[in-house]
Amino acid sequence: MITMEDIIDKMFEEKDDFYNYMMMYKHCTDATKKEIFYHIAEEESQHYYKLWGIVFKDAKDEHMTEKERGFKTYATAVYEDMVECLKKKT
């Protein structure tokens, strides 16, 4: 049985993978490989967002603890940073 903890762990694995692929994109000198790394990073951000939706889609802030709200705020900021990195290609 998959638990919420498993989903959250997977979400942050996707985050780490995203930033690793963006680093490879940034440092790669081969144009073809560079675009492959960028595309994979895009996919990782989409995977992260889908998992974010499972965790937080129906979560109402007024029913969350302070710790849960803080985690939601952090997880949302991570996704927003991913989006910005993809836009800027950095």
Side-chain angles (χ1 to χ4, degrees), residues 69-86:
R69 278 191 302 277
F71 178 60
K72 181 180 178 185
T73 298
Y74 172 74
T76 302
V78 166
Y79 178 70
E80 290 169 353
D81 184 64
M82 289 176 175
V83 171
E84 285 301 310
C85 286
L86 290 169

Side-chain angles (χ1 to χ4, degrees), residues 14-32:
E14 299 293 342
K15 173 189 80 87
D16 292 341
D17 290 346
F18 169 84
Y19 287 110
N20 286 331
Y21 282 110
M22 286 304 291
M23 184 174 29
M24 286 186 265
Y25 166 82
K26 182 179 178 181
H27 296 290
C28 186
T29 56
D30 179 294
T32 302

Side-chain angles (χ1 to χ4, degrees), residues 58-72:
D58 296 326
K60 305 285 185 225
D61 285 349
E62 63 269 11
H63 299 294
M64 298 171 82
T65 66
E66 186 175 335
K67 191 177 202 177
E68 290 167 332
R69 278 191 302 277
F71 178 60
K72 181 180 178 185

Side-chain angles (χ1 to χ4, degrees), residues 33-76:
K33 289 179 184 175
K34 191 171 184 103
E35 287 307 309
I36 291 169
F37 292 142
Y38 183 83
H39 178 70
I40 296 170
E42 281 181 312
E43 290 176 350
E44 297 297 334
S45 73
Q46 292 168 6
H47 297 161
Y48 178 92
Y49 188 70
K50 287 176 185 174
L51 294 169
W52 182 96
I54 291 169
V55 175
F56 296 112
K57 181 182 177 198
D58 296 326
K60 305 285 185 225
D61 285 349
E62 63 269 11
H63 299 294
M64 298 171 82
T65 66
E66 186 175 335
K67 191 177 202 177
E68 290 167 332
R69 278 191 302 277
F71 178 60
K72 181 180 178 185
T73 298
Y74 172 74
T76 302

